[in-house]
Amino acid sequence: MENRYTIRKCSLIPNGASLKEEYDIVRGGPIIDYYESIDSPTIAMTVSFLDIDQMLGQEGITGGELIDIRVQINNFDDFEIKSKKHKLMLNSVRNMQTDTNKQFATLEFVSVESIINETSRVNKKLTGNVSNTVNNLLVSGEGTDKKGIQSSKKLEKDQSVNSYSFIGNLKRPFDIIQWLQPKAQSSSKSFGFLFYETLDGYNFKSIENLLKQESISYTKTDKPIEGDFRILSNNLNQTNDIGLNLRSGMYANKTIYIDIENQTKSIVDFSISDLSLKKPPKLLEGLDKKPSRLMLRVNDFGVAQKGAKKDEVQPASELAVYQNKSYIRNNLLFSQSLSISIPLNPSLRVGKMIDIKLPFKKGGSSDQAKTDSFGDERTNDPSGRYLISDLRHLIGGGKSETQLTLIRDVFTAKEN
C-alpha cells in the first residue's frame, strides 16, 4: 500500500496576472505531478483538478500565477511548494474540459527562472574559474552579472579547479552553464559537472563528488513486506549500448585541432584506457582501441585570452584539447539505466545516490553469468549503487508514489 497522504493546501496565488485573490483548489481533488531531472536546469509540476466554480474560464486564467502546496505524508516531513521560495509559475492551462457546472483542467507550472532565461542574453566576455562564472550568471548578489538570471534561490556548487575564458555571443544564461558542464574540471584527473535544480535550489556538482555520496537503501523481495523503503516495481531500461558507444567515439577517437593564431594543426588520439577504469570494456579483436569517430575542432587563443596583455593567455591545460575525457565520462555515467517505483518519499532529490537491492539468482554457470557476448567480464546483477537522474512525485486520486530513473557507470561501479 502506498504512503497515506493528506493535501493540506493547494492554492493559486495572484501575481499581477488575471487572478485577483488567492484561490483554493483542494476541494477540486487535485492530482499533483512534480518532476525534476539532472538534465534540466529547472523543476516543473502539473496539477490537474476539478474546477467546480469554473474560475479558470470566468477569470480568464492564462498564466503568471504562483502556487502554494503542502502535503502531509506519514513518516516524512511535509512536501511543500512555497510561492515565495520555489516560485513555480503557471505557464499554461491544458486539456480544459467544460461542462454546465464545472471544468476539468491541467495547470502546468515551471520555475520563474526558466521564463527569465528566455529574456536574458549574455553579450560580454567571461573569464575566471568555471564555478564562479556559473555563480555570476545564476544568482543575485554583489558583483554578479545583471544580465544573468539573478535568482534568489540557493546555489550548491562544487569548486572547479580550472578557469575558462569565452565570449557570451548573446546566448541565454542556462545555455551557457550547460555548455560549461563538460569544460569544468573537478580534479587533475576528472572532468565533468552537472547543472540542475531540485526542491532545495540549484546545483552545480562534479560527477566525481556525486558518486562518492552516501546512499539510501531500497529493497525488493519476493515476499510481501510493508515499509517506506521498499521497491514496488522495477524495470531495467537499458544496458551498455556498444553500437551507440562506437558511433559517439567513446572507446577511441581521433581529433584534429586547428590553431588559428599559429596556423598549425595537432592530432590527438584518445582511448578509453586513458581513464584507467576499474573494469574497462573489452571488445572483440581489440575494436575498443581503433578510433570510431573523427572530429575537427578549432582552438581560438584570441577568444581564450585572459587579459589585454599578450602574455595573459589561457593555460594549455584549460583549452578544449583536454576535454575529450569529460565527454566520455558523461557517456559512461549513463551506461546503465533502471526505473523503479517506491512509496512516496518527499525527501529524495535528483543527484543523490541510492542503493538498490533486487532479487537476483546467483549460481549455475557463474562464468556465463559474469561474461557478456563480447567477453567483457562484470556482473549482470542490476543491484547496486545508482545516481538518481529523474524523479517524479505522483500525489492524488487516492494514490501516491515516487517514480525514479536511476543511472550508473557499470565500468567503474564497485562489485556487489
Side-chain angles (χ1 to χ4, degrees):
M1 180 181 298
E2 294 88 352
N3 285 13
R4 295 181 179 179
Y5 68 93
T6 304
I7 300 178
R8 296 296 185 185
K9 184 175 185 178
C10 188
S11 301
L12 286 177
I13 308 298
N15 189 36
S18 303
L19 190 65
K20 298 299 185 289
E21 60 183 20
E22 182 176 333
Y23 182 72
D24 185 5
I25 60 178
V26 169
R27 57 181 178 168
I31 299 175
I32 302 167
D33 184 351
Y34 168 83
Y35 176 78
E36 59 188 45
S37 170
I38 61 172
D39 291 326
S40 174
T42 61
I43 57 178
M45 181 177 65
T46 62
V47 179
S48 302
F49 75 107
L50 186 64
D51 183 10
I52 57 178
D53 296 327
Q54 294 188 324
M55 178 272 302
L56 296 176
Q58 293 183 16
E59 297 288 343
I61 301 298
T62 56
E65 289 75 16
L66 303 177
I67 190 168
D68 278 339
I69 289 178
R70 184 168 68 88
V71 182
Q72 184 178 346
I73 304 166
N74 288 358
N75 303 323
F76 292 100
D77 293 336
D78 293 350
F79 173 71
E80 290 187 281
I81 300 288
K82 298 180 180 179
S83 56
K84 293 183 179 180
K85 177 182 178 182
H86 300 103
K87 298 182 179 180
L88 282 180
M89 189 183 79
L90 179 59
N91 182 59
S92 67
V93 180
R94 299 190 283 107
N95 303 326
M96 187 163 68
Q97 304 170 20
T98 303
D99 290 331
T100 304
N101 57 356
K102 63 180 182 296
Q103 289 179 321
F104 183 84
T106 297
L107 308 180
E108 179 187 84
F109 294 88
V110 297
S111 293
V112 168
E113 286 80 2
S114 68
I115 305 300
I116 297 174
N117 182 65
E118 296 302 316
T119 63
S120 301
R121 294 293 187 275
V122 179
N123 62 354
K124 67 179 184 180
K125 182 174 181 178
L126 298 170
T127 188
N129 184 275
V130 176
S131 295
N132 293 341
T133 298
V134 171
N135 184 84
N136 293 338
L137 289 174
L138 183 63
V139 302
S140 60
E142 184 178 354
T144 58
D145 194 337
K146 300 302 180 183
K147 292 187 178 181
I149 301 296
Q150 291 287 291
S151 174
S152 59
K153 296 177 180 176
K154 180 177 64 175
L155 170 63
E156 289 286 343
K157 62 183 174 68
D158 293 332
Q159 196 68 23
S160 65
V161 299
N162 68 311
S163 299
Y164 198 77
S165 300
F166 62 96
I167 296 175
N169 289 330
L170 296 178
K171 292 182 179 179
R172 299 176 181 88
F174 282 164
D175 295 338
I176 291 178
I177 294 174
Q178 291 181 311
W179 174 74
L180 286 172
Q181 287 178 170
K183 297 174 174 60
Q185 188 175 0
S186 58
S187 67
S188 59
K189 296 182 179 180
S190 180
F191 276 89
F193 275 59
L194 295 174
F195 173 63
Y196 54 93
E197 184 186 11
T198 70
L199 203 60
D200 298 326
Y202 285 100
N203 296 266
F204 189 67
K205 296 284 190 176
S206 73
I207 295 175
E208 182 180 31
N209 288 339
L210 287 177
L211 297 178
K212 292 179 180 178
Q213 298 177 101
E214 294 294 326
S215 59
I216 182 173
S217 295
Y218 272 84
T219 304
K220 182 177 183 181
T221 67
D222 296 329
K223 300 178 181 179
I225 59 173
E226 294 296 326
D228 297 322
F229 300 96
R230 69 189 192 279
I231 298 173
L232 304 175
S233 63
N234 64 278
N235 178 62
L236 183 62
N237 303 326
Q238 67 176 31
T239 58
N240 179 46
D241 189 323
I242 294 175
L244 184 62
N245 291 343
L246 287 169
R247 180 63 59 91
S248 65
M250 193 180 86
Y251 302 115
N253 61 64
K254 184 187 297 288
T255 307
I256 301 174
Y257 291 93
I258 305 298
D259 183 341
I260 294 180
E261 184 179 40
N262 300 313
Q263 299 184 8
T264 59
K265 72 174 182 179
S266 59
I267 300 176
V268 177
D269 289 301
F270 173 81
S271 172
I272 199 169
S273 60
D274 297 341
L275 298 179
S276 302
L277 301 177
K278 296 178 181 178
K279 296 175 288 184
K282 297 177 183 178
L283 306 185
L284 288 174
E285 300 176 356
L287 290 178
D288 53 302
K289 301 184 184 303
K290 299 179 180 179
S292 60
R293 184 181 182 185
L294 302 178
M295 293 174 284
L296 176 68
R297 297 189 66 173
V298 176
N299 283 332
D300 191 338
F301 291 89
V303 172
Q305 185 88 7
K306 281 189 170 184
K309 297 180 179 179
K310 188 174 181 180
D311 59 348
E312 293 180 339
V313 297
Q314 195 86 22
S317 60
E318 296 173 354
L319 295 174
V321 67
Y322 288 93
Q323 290 162 16
N324 274 356
K325 291 183 179 181
S326 174
Y327 293 106
I328 302 307
R329 187 67 191 85
N330 282 23
N331 286 342
L332 287 171
L333 182 64
F334 291 85
S335 57
Q336 184 167 303
S337 173
L338 175 72
S339 293
I340 64 171
S341 294
I342 59 176
L344 181 63
N345 184 346
S347 66
L348 292 178
R349 303 286 187 269
V350 295
K352 300 299 183 182
M353 294 298 295
I354 186 169
D355 190 7
I356 298 299
K357 299 178 180 179
L358 299 173
F360 184 74
K361 183 178 180 180
K362 295 182 180 179
S365 179
S366 58
D367 292 338
Q368 180 69 26
K370 292 187 178 181
T371 306
D372 63 23
S373 59
F374 282 82
D376 188 9
E377 294 186 0
R378 61 184 165 281
T379 179
N380 289 324
D381 187 350
S383 298
R385 282 167 49 87
Y386 287 81
L387 182 71
I388 301 177
S389 67
D390 297 85
L391 176 148
R392 172 169 268 120
H393 294 315
L394 301 176
I395 308 169
K399 297 182 179 180
S400 62
E401 68 177 31
T402 296
Q403 297 178 351
L404 303 174
T405 299
L406 312 171
I407 55 174
R408 73 168 172 175
D409 174 5
V410 296
F411 300 110
T412 61
K414 296 180 180 180
E415 296 288 355
N416 299 315

